Amino acid sequence: MVVPPFAIGGIGFPLSEQGAELPANITFAAGYAGTFGAGPLWDDAIIPFEVADDFCCNEDLASAIADYEERTVFRFVPRDGHETYIRFINSEPILSSRTELGKQRGENAVRIQGVRLDGTPAGGLIGTIQHEIGHELGLIHEHLRSDRDLFIERNPGCAPADIFQGIYEGWIDMTNVAFTEDGAELLTDYDFASLMHYNFGLDTDGDGTVNCSPWVRLGGCTGPACIDNFSSDLLSDRDIEGLHKLYIAVPGSNNFLPEPDQVRSFNGDNVRHRGKRIDRCLHGLPFGQDACSATSRGRVADEFCEAKGFQDGFNVQTEGMLGEHSGFHAVVGWMNVWGGDVISSISCQNLTPQEEQVVAGTLEEETFSGSEVEVSDRRIDRCMHGDDITGDRCSAANQGRIADAFCEQEGFDEASAFETDFGGPNAFMSGFFPSDDDFKDVAGLDQFTEISCVR
């Protein structure tokens, strides 16, 4: 699915809540939405902006920007000849607040609806303005992230006719009903309180009062009387965390994260494993699964970061590069693959428990490389041999068992990390036999090139 460069609907409250009932003949465009990590980013987190002379909501705009600058790395500067900038303008009559997704070249219009349908000023639009700025910075709607069905569900108490009437009248974004955005990156846990989350509501009898929520928390209340609350008045803590992970390359962004000392970024040629650039796709998936989806890329990112001593990867960027890459296979782990795209940038967070102890000095770590990774003067085969093998003999889990066995022979407790690579046909390798808990002579193709041991 292609996400168009706009996001319709603002916070997503029924316009009837703003003081008047919607005329039956009025319809609104419904915009696609998703979660963190889409659209071009603003250089150095600096946002040039200007405000239309007749803009409705200058005081709320000033408060919205002040909150961004107090709690985030972003800085908003008056436009002074900048070619690319944000312009705050009034939304057209009866249309909702809206903007584009991410930085677009030239003027980026943020349209704010400051007038109720009865013609009176709306007021209290700080959150609405922050929401639309969030779209400009690269955030898309929380409730359409790829894992949303694990957290919210349709409320059967809201009749389909009411839901589609809400779509027709513009109360509900069409994509709330049908679609998720699988291409957006998930940078935080699901956030019911996100300012980018719609606060769903239906006025099914036209009296101007919300009396049904078409979406509710999974496993919660369902029925006509169930009205679940989502979203916040201002940016939530997870909104702020997601923004800084998205802009992690900007100096100072790290300081706004929960544990700034546990985040590290890798870029360009530094995004390597087994001496090769990292393929962006996950290999070895069952037929029909998207190997290059955001979820698959996230798995590859996590595995790369784990090899670097971290638990999680985020802020994954890719670029075209045809050739032989280091790819992660869902069953057997890292292997050489051919592909057309690689990961060009990735950030890792949360040190593994072992790495935390190494940093604290409570664990000793030593890395064995090349010819040091040998048993009986022979390189170690990456696959298990003999009996008592669980799963694929060359799986990543079994490679970990082999690495542990090597470390134990070297006087350590276990392995903290390891790398393997294709070594070519070799009739003289050392293979691990779990039934004997020992290494024996074998023939093989792939070998360990590096093992880190701790004690």
Side-chain angles (χ1 to χ4, degrees):
M1 178 173 63
V2 178
V3 182
F6 56 80
I8 302 295
I11 300 299
F13 292 107
L15 291 184
S16 56
E17 285 188 350
Q18 298 181 10
E21 185 178 328
L22 281 168
N25 62 341
I26 297 300
T27 61
F28 297 90
Y32 292 95
T35 187
F36 302 113
L41 304 183
W42 292 81
D43 297 341
D44 299 322
I46 295 174
I47 320 297
F49 75 99
E50 66 179 23
V51 183
D53 292 340
D54 63 345
F55 184 61
C56 63
C57 318
N58 287 295
E59 290 186 7
D60 285 345
L61 173 61
S63 297
I65 287 178
D67 188 61
Y68 261 106
E69 294 196 329
E70 179 180 350
R71 296 198 291 152
T72 75
V73 75
F74 296 95
R75 294 296 174 262
F76 294 77
V77 299
R79 183 193 178 198
D80 184 15
H82 297 89
E83 178 184 5
T84 297
Y85 60 97
I86 288 177
R87 178 173 172 81
F88 294 94
I89 62 177
N90 296 325
S91 183
E92 301 84 352
I94 76 171
L95 294 183
S96 60
S97 300
R98 64 198 189 279
T99 189
E100 299 176 352
L101 177 60
K103 179 185 72 173
Q104 311 296 322
R105 184 175 180 180
E107 179 179 295
N108 291 252
V110 173
R111 294 173 171 84
I112 300 298
Q113 183 53 268
V115 180
R116 297 186 177 94
L117 291 178
D118 63 2
T120 60
L125 294 173
I126 298 173
T128 299
I129 294 171
Q130 283 199 338
H131 176 103
E132 301 305 332
I133 292 175
H135 285 312
E136 281 289 345
L137 299 182
L139 303 187
I140 42 185
H141 294 132
E142 184 77 5
H143 51 275
L144 289 195
R145 50 191 279 162
S146 59
D147 62 349
R148 70 101 184 268
D149 291 335
L150 299 175
F151 301 95
I152 60 176
E153 62 181 341
R154 297 178 192 176
N155 181 1
C158 287
D162 292 329
I163 294 176
F164 285 101
Q165 180 67 18
I167 294 173
Y168 173 73
E169 295 182 356
W171 298 2
I172 302 177
D173 187 328
M174 178 177 65
T175 56
N176 296 343
V177 179
F179 305 112
T180 59
E181 175 46 57
D182 295 333
E185 185 183 1
L186 310 180
L187 295 177
T188 70
D189 293 337
Y190 196 91
D191 186 11
F192 296 113
S194 171
L195 187 62
M196 310 310 292
H197 203 303
Y198 275 13
N199 197 11
F200 310 107
L202 280 177
D203 174 9
T204 61
D205 54 15
D207 67 353
T209 302
V210 171
N211 55 17
C212 196
S213 292
W215 286 88
V216 292
R217 284 171 172 80
L218 187 68
C221 174
T222 58
C226 294
I227 301 174
D228 233 335
N229 290 316
F230 302 95
S231 194
S232 299
D233 295 332
L234 297 172
L235 291 168
S236 72
D237 290 342
R238 285 183 180 168
D239 289 335
I240 293 172
E241 179 186 348
L243 279 168
H244 290 108
K245 287 179 178 178
L246 193 59
Y247 284 79
I248 192 67
V250 176
S253 285
N254 205 15
N255 298 328
F256 290 88
L257 295 176
E259 298 178 272
D261 59 328
Q262 293 207 18
V263 178
R264 181 181 175 191
S265 295
F266 299 84
N267 299 284
D269 282 342
N270 290 325
V271 190
R272 288 179 176 270
H273 190 63
R274 296 154 44 104
K276 298 179 178 63
R277 295 292 298 273
I278 306 300
D279 195 71
R280 76 180 180 107
C281 301
L282 177 62
H283 298 264
L285 291 179
F287 179 76
Q289 293 189 20
D290 187 351
C292 303
S293 67
T295 301
S296 296
R297 294 197 304 271
R299 170 73 185 281
V300 176
D302 288 346
E303 296 294 343
F304 170 81
C305 289
E306 184 176 348
K308 301 298 181 182
F310 294 85
Q311 298 183 55
D312 307 299
F314 66 94
N315 197 19
V316 181
Q317 308 294 324
T318 64
E319 65 182 359
M321 180 177 291
L322 181 64
E324 188 178 22
H325 309 150
S326 186
F328 190 82
H329 190 284
V331 176
V332 302
W334 293 101
M335 59 187 300
N336 295 346
V337 300
W338 281 87
D341 297 283
V342 295
I343 294 177
S344 58
S345 178
I346 186 173
S347 297
C348 301
Q349 66 177 348
N350 301 325
L351 293 173
T352 63
Q354 284 182 333
E355 193 63 25
E356 283 188 331
Q357 293 181 63
V358 170
V359 172
T362 57
L363 274 183
E364 175 191 353
E365 183 176 50
E366 183 175 348
T367 298
F368 300 84
S369 303
S371 60
E372 296 176 330
V373 190
E374 292 184 346
V375 173
S376 300
D377 297 325
R378 295 190 175 186
R379 300 298 294 269
I380 299 174
D381 187 45
R382 75 162 184 163
C383 301
M384 280 193 174
H385 297 266
D387 302 322
D388 295 337
I389 297 174
T390 302
D392 189 292
R393 70 187 191 92
C394 302
S395 69
N398 283 331
Q399 291 175 41
R401 290 182 62 191
I402 298 170
D404 287 343
F406 168 81
C407 290
E408 290 172 6
Q409 289 204 3
E410 296 296 327
F412 291 81
D413 296 332
E414 59 185 345
S416 59
F418 60 86
E419 292 189 16
T420 66
D421 203 352
F422 179 71
N426 189 345
F428 303 100
M429 299 183 73
S430 192
F432 184 70
F433 288 72
S435 57
D436 300 321
D437 193 28
D438 198 6
F439 289 90
K440 299 180 181 180
D441 294 346
V442 297
L445 294 173
D446 298 308
Q447 61 192 21
F448 283 86
T449 58
E450 184 174 285
I451 299 178
S452 297
C453 304
V454 293
R455 59 187 171 195

